[in-house]
Each structure stands twice: as C-alpha cells, then as structure tokens.
Amino acid sequence: MASYTNSNNNSSNANNYDEYSVYIETIQAPVIGKLFEALNANVGSINMWFTPQNLTSVSNDASQTCECLLRLENKNFETWYVENTMMVGINVPILF
C-alpha cells in the first residue's frame, strides 16, 4: 500500500482512503483530458496499470503500426493512493 500527498494539498480527508483501491487527485484535469483525447485519435482501447509508483500503459493502434507508451509518475499528482497494483481496461472513446 502506497500513498503520496503533495505538500501543497490541504485536503481535509487526507490519508483516509480505506474505501478506495485507487484514489488520484490532480488540478491538471485539462492536461489529462488532452492526453485521453490524443489517445482516442490513435487507440481504441487501452490497459492501464496503476502501481504505487506510477500509472503505465502500452498499447498499439488498430493497424499495429504505432505503439503508445504512457507513464505518469505519482509525484506529479496532488494525491496518489494505490493499495495494490491493478490493471484496468479502458475503452477510450467512451470517455468522450
């Protein structure tokens, strides 16, 4: 179990994540939105691995000519809590 909280975060419920397997907060929502918009143009579905240290995804486009690697480190988020490593399949077009 790993938890990371940026020192600038003043959340009143800090470190109370017992009901969550994955809990992530960021003030950079527009950047994350643009990231998934770019993935949507190239990749239909992705598998994302949430670990105590980072979020990682490796996927190919439909024609198998382009490989997309994504790695976001926990230190770049305001709050990051991942109890155990977890793989999540995401159908990217559904996010839009």
Side-chain angles (χ1 to χ4, degrees):
M1 171 172 26
S3 179
Y4 174 82
T5 303
N6 192 329
S7 60
N8 296 329
N9 185 10
N10 295 324
S11 177
S12 61
N13 64 349
N15 298 326
N16 188 16
Y17 309 121
D18 294 337
E19 61 189 271
Y20 304 105
S21 297
V22 175
Y23 184 89
I24 299 170
E25 286 183 354
T26 183
I27 59 173
Q28 299 296 323
V31 175
I32 300 296
K34 291 283 186 185
L35 173 67
F36 278 97
E37 187 177 333
L39 284 171
N40 186 33
N42 296 308
V43 179
S45 61
I46 58 174
N47 290 325
M48 299 182 105
W49 286 271
F50 292 89
T51 70
Q53 296 80 26
N54 60 39
L55 177 148
T56 304
S57 175
V58 178
S59 56
N60 291 329
D61 66 343
S63 64
Q64 301 290 318
T65 58
C66 177
E67 183 174 87
C68 300
L69 171 64
L70 169 68
R71 178 166 290 146
L72 303 174
E73 301 292 329
N74 67 358
K75 65 184 178 184
N76 297 319
F77 291 84
E78 279 61 44
T79 303
W80 181 277
Y81 171 79
V82 177
E83 187 173 11
N84 297 309
T85 298
M86 177 183 294
M87 194 261 310
V88 177
I90 299 174
N91 190 349
V92 180
I94 290 177
L95 293 175
F96 293 95

